[in-house]
Amino acid sequence: MTAYFSDIPLWTLIVWAVIVVALSLLLYRRKSWVKEISRFRRFVLISLRSLGLFLLGLLLLGILIKGIESEVDQPMVITIVDDSQSMLNYADSNSVEDLTKAYLNAVNAKFDLKYNHLIFNLNEPVKTVDSLRFKNSKTDIGKALNRVYDNYYGRNIGAVVLLSDGNFNAGTTPLVIAEKFKKTPIYTLTVGDTIQKVDHLVKSIVANEIAFLGNKFPVEVGIEGNKTPNQSIELQLLKDGKLIESKTLSHSQEEYSLVKTDFLLDAKSIGMHEYTVKINALPNEFNLDNNTKTFYVEVLDDRSKVLLVAESLNPDAGAIKSALYKENNLELTTVAMSELPQELDAYDLIIWHNPGVSKDNQGFERVVNAGKPMWYIITPQTSRSTISRLELMANINTTGQMDNVSAAFNQGFNLFKLSPEARKTIDNFPPLKAHYGKVKYSNIGSILAFQRVGAINKQDPLFYFGSRRKIKFAVTYGSGLWSWKLADYQLNQSHTSFNELIRKSVQYLILKDNTSRLRITLPSIASSDEEYIINASFFNESYEPITEPTIDFELIQPNGESFDYAFLALENEYQLNLGQLPAGRYTWRASTNYNNQSFSKEGTFGVKDLALEKQATKANHQLLMQMAENNNGRFALLSDYSSILDDIDQRKDIVPVAYESSTYNKLIDYIWLLLVIVALFTTEWVIRRYSGAY
């Protein structure tokens, strides 16, 4: 159905028609040459002029023409192939790849004209059937279902076919995600069998990725047994390929067994160390690949010591302590002023809460003159004279009264980066209790948060950083940090944003200025299923970042083979993507030359194999059956895929869907109408010329 819309009433066209006819008659009545032509020719000229003027007026009305467009959406059959390594863990593994390709080719042949067939693996669309490989190191079926739902929600999905063994080791249970496909049948094709085989494996290893030189660190190993009653376990722990400890354990008398044992290891040397846990093979054991597991521990010698001095009882100290509790590279000591350690030189940072309140002048002077990075937390109890003695690099004038001030994050803060979630949460933190007065600080880029009273953002800093005699310091102008921690949990159901603020502030204060001109940033430990990305920076003599020199990178693999790379130069830094690396310990060296000077860095890193897929020895058909039943589909073995295709083909609810949509077009956009108007006036002009008019 076609409809017309205009801001001007359409009845005005009648008035316009009368006007244009009158104008045309008047024009040709006054011309002397008109009397010499025939009546018919005169009628044609008047008609052409009237119609041309009428159509011009029609365009000026701004008429919109509403139309209806119809589109037929053919049903889609979407196949999701679980391309994880566990699909090849079973007795029928040799035929899985061939059967999968045969099924996909059969779908394309059977439904080529009737349906649109789309193929996905766990991570992305499959371009060609022959490109499918079962090499994924983890299985997240829920993520794959979610991707299909998000990309094709509202489209005509006729059926979803999931080809899997039913095992998943990442993400949400696929049964929950499948509930989104309320009106779409889900069919499941499976491989493998559900018979538990004789197998025991290194199920879990719990160990910190970082240890500190001279310390001991614990390692917990879990050994799982299936159909291994009373079987003996010979367990070996190797460090860098050398045996350091062995144990003899035993599975329980039950069919299923989980045995845990602990080791206490010494961090004797700095660097990345590779530890391997091995267990013996059992008679008739089905899978030997999961009898070995490797983990990496980096031993450091740069643990920082932080002293938290609280001059009065307050919950802020507890909030700060909890935020730093899991920082492996920090050793936090909390004391009152009366318990101040004799040697302050041993500490890398002093956090001073409520300075001067205890009236301990001797201790006050010792902290002030310690020459260490400081974080001052100024409360309403801190006197004006104490504030002036601290040399906080700001002009602070107080009245002795107290005020409640909230935080407004400074978008121009540039000392370190906080996540978008943390920045947003800071703006919603409750007020701190602070001195009423003025705080003037000129270094805007070092102000993390301004004061806010109600809806008014002030220029007075609430949380800022500075440097005094080349020693860093921070000032929080208020007490009540504990309320920020509670608010973070109330807003986000976690303490992540509060902890990030505290940790990054402490890390910045402790971090010594890096004067190296070649800087390499890379993960010390990564997973084999992640892309390994390395960042680099190079600075000229003025310590300005430049990207002129080429930075070479040599990577020595665990087998001793060496590969050479070059960093990609970006705007102010470099980047190198090594892709996914096999598990092992790697050695690297980065080097460059600039102005006849050589610069280099070297080190090691470890890539751990999650080995998630090696742990599956039986298929989870029950999950696939449940999914098919919940979503009005069917379950079958992959070898019986033809029955699934026949069932889809015979369904009466998988039909094309016609969609209608409204279109709106301006009359002036129709080029043919402009051509008609031009043709009318051109014809009139030709006849006039032919009739002797000038």
Side-chain angles (χ1 to χ4, degrees), residues 48-244:
L48 290 171
R49 174 62 62 90
S50 299
L51 186 56
L53 292 175
F54 178 80
L55 292 178
L56 280 175
L58 190 65
L59 294 181
L60 295 176
L61 284 179
I63 293 176
L64 287 177
I65 301 176
K66 177 185 177 182
I68 301 295
E69 288 187 354
S70 297
E71 181 181 353
V72 177
D73 191 7
Q74 293 293 336
M76 291 185 293
V77 174
I78 300 177
T79 297
I80 301 174
V81 180
D82 176 357
D83 61 340
S84 62
Q85 297 171 7
S86 68
M87 294 283 284
L88 305 180
N89 281 357
Y90 312 106
D92 58 357
S93 295
N94 293 333
S95 62
V96 167
E97 189 168 344
D98 292 337
L99 280 174
T100 300
K101 292 180 179 180
Y103 157 76
L104 295 174
N105 289 325
V107 177
N108 290 332
K110 190 178 185 68
F111 297 147
D112 183 37
L113 300 177
K114 191 174 182 180
Y115 304 136
N116 294 321
H117 183 218
L118 304 178
I119 308 171
F120 291 85
N121 60 23
L122 292 176
N123 294 318
E124 59 187 0
V126 176
K127 296 180 180 179
T128 62
V129 172
D130 290 334
S131 66
L132 194 63
R133 297 290 184 269
F134 295 89
K135 293 185 177 181
N136 213 313
S137 59
K138 63 181 178 182
T139 307
D140 191 345
I141 300 174
K143 181 180 178 181
L145 287 170
N146 247 334
R147 183 184 298 107
V148 170
Y149 180 82
D150 292 340
N151 289 342
Y152 299 99
Y153 174 75
R155 294 287 303 277
N156 185 16
I157 304 178
V160 174
V161 181
L162 173 62
L163 197 160
S164 174
D165 61 355
N167 291 311
F168 66 96
N169 44 48
T172 308
T173 171
L175 289 175
V176 174
I177 308 301
E179 292 177 358
K180 295 182 177 181
F181 296 84
K182 295 180 180 179
K183 297 182 180 180
T184 302
I186 295 182
Y187 292 84
T188 52
L189 289 169
T190 191
V191 299
D193 57 67
T194 58
I195 300 174
Q196 181 61 63
K197 305 170 184 64
V198 176
D199 185 51
H200 75 161
L201 62 141
V202 182
K203 180 69 173 179
S204 63
I205 297 176
V206 180
N208 289 332
E209 293 183 346
I210 295 176
F212 293 94
L213 186 65
N215 290 357
K216 292 182 179 292
F217 60 95
V219 176
E220 181 186 85
V221 178
I223 310 296
E224 179 184 292
N226 296 290
K227 301 183 73 172
T228 56
N230 298 318
Q231 292 279 3
S232 178
I233 307 169
E234 300 297 331
L235 186 151
Q236 294 181 333
L237 178 63
L238 296 88
K239 175 186 176 183
D240 299 330
K242 297 180 180 179
L243 179 66
I244 59 172

Side-chain angles (χ1 to χ4, degrees), residues 397-411:
N397 295 313
T398 66
T399 64
Q401 297 177 326
M402 187 177 68
D403 196 8
N404 293 324
V405 290
S406 300
F409 180 75
N410 175 21
Q411 299 297 333

Side-chain angles (χ1 to χ4, degrees), residues 324-378:
L324 302 176
Y325 175 70
K326 292 186 178 180
E327 287 291 284
N328 292 322
N329 60 335
L330 293 180
E331 180 182 329
L332 180 66
T333 304
T334 305
V335 298
M337 183 59 80
S338 59
E339 304 166 336
L340 199 65
Q342 291 298 318
E343 294 295 332
L344 297 181
D345 286 342
Y347 296 93
D348 300 286
L349 170 67
I350 299 176
I351 303 175
W352 199 357
H353 189 283
N354 225 344
V357 171
S358 65
K359 307 298 182 183
D360 184 346
N361 289 327
Q362 184 179 1
F364 184 93
E365 291 298 329
R366 287 184 60 211
V367 177
V368 166
N369 297 318
K372 296 292 180 181
M374 304 286 294
W375 179 5
Y376 304 98
I377 301 176
I378 307 299

Side-chain angles (χ1 to χ4, degrees), residues 7-28:
D7 294 334
I8 302 174
L10 295 181
W11 59 263
T12 57
L13 289 175
I14 300 174
V15 177
W16 177 241
V18 173
I19 293 174
V20 298
V21 171
L23 288 173
S24 299
L25 288 171
L26 182 62
L27 173 67
Y28 284 103

Side-chain angles (χ1 to χ4, degrees), residues 377-638:
I377 301 176
I378 307 299
T379 74
Q381 288 74 42
T382 307
S383 66
R384 285 177 287 181
S385 60
T386 298
I387 294 174
S388 63
R389 292 172 63 189
L390 294 176
E391 300 181 27
L392 302 180
M393 308 298 291
N395 186 7
I396 301 176
N397 295 313
T398 66
T399 64
Q401 297 177 326
M402 187 177 68
D403 196 8
N404 293 324
V405 290
S406 300
F409 180 75
N410 175 21
Q411 299 297 333
F413 179 71
N414 56 22
L415 297 184
F416 53 83
K417 290 184 179 180
L418 292 172
S419 66
E421 295 78 11
R423 297 197 298 266
K424 181 180 178 181
T425 304
I426 287 172
D427 288 333
N428 292 292
F429 277 152
L432 300 181
K433 296 186 181 300
H435 280 289
Y436 180 80
K438 292 288 185 181
V439 180
K440 300 295 183 183
Y441 189 62
S442 58
N443 194 351
I444 301 298
S446 297
I447 299 175
L448 188 145
F450 292 102
Q451 296 183 23
R452 187 178 73 242
V453 178
I456 300 174
N457 289 341
K458 302 170 64 177
Q459 294 302 308
D460 304 66
L462 179 68
F463 196 160
Y464 68 92
F465 294 81
S467 178
R468 182 179 52 227
R469 293 182 288 276
K470 296 185 179 182
I471 299 175
K472 298 176 183 176
F473 70 89
V475 177
T476 302
Y477 194 69
S479 65
L481 293 175
W482 62 270
S483 65
W484 286 9
K485 179 181 178 181
L486 296 180
D488 186 18
Y489 192 85
Q490 185 178 10
L491 293 168
N492 306 312
Q493 286 71 56
S494 73
H495 300 126
T496 303
S497 294
F498 175 79
N499 291 346
E500 180 184 352
L501 172 63
I502 301 300
R503 290 172 184 173
K504 288 194 173 181
S505 298
V506 168
Q507 288 169 1
Y508 168 76
L509 292 169
I510 290 176
L511 184 66
K512 296 178 175 62
D513 292 334
N514 189 351
T515 58
S516 173
R517 291 172 60 185
L518 175 62
R519 304 177 189 179
I520 307 295
T521 305
L522 76 174
S524 58
I525 299 176
S527 298
S528 58
D529 64 332
E530 301 173 343
E531 290 187 338
Y532 196 86
I533 298 176
I534 306 173
N535 294 300
S537 300
F538 187 79
F539 298 83
N540 60 19
E541 291 83 349
S542 300
Y543 281 89
E544 298 169 330
I546 60 173
T547 55
E548 296 173 15
T550 299
I551 301 179
D552 298 316
F553 188 86
E554 181 186 8
L555 180 68
I556 301 175
Q557 294 194 339
N559 61 5
E561 193 173 359
S562 176
F563 291 90
D564 294 324
Y565 302 88
F567 279 87
L568 174 66
L570 304 178
E571 186 175 355
N572 287 315
E573 61 179 358
Y574 297 82
Q575 191 175 88
L576 175 61
N577 188 343
L578 297 177
Q580 294 182 351
L581 296 174
R585 184 174 54 171
Y586 293 79
T587 302
W588 60 270
R589 185 177 187 273
S591 60
T592 188
N593 289 286
Y594 182 70
N595 287 346
N596 298 320
Q597 287 183 276
S598 297
F599 303 87
S600 64
K601 294 282 185 181
E602 59 185 26
T604 59
F605 64 85
V607 177
K608 57 185 179 182
D609 185 2
L610 298 179
L612 298 175
E613 296 297 307
K614 297 177 182 178
Q615 298 180 11
T617 57
K618 66 175 182 176
N620 189 352
H621 290 180
Q622 183 60 41
L623 181 140
L624 299 176
M625 289 179 183
Q626 188 67 48
M627 186 184 300
E629 182 180 347
N630 293 349
N631 291 81
N632 194 26
R634 272 191 56 197
F635 167 86
L637 295 176
L638 178 58

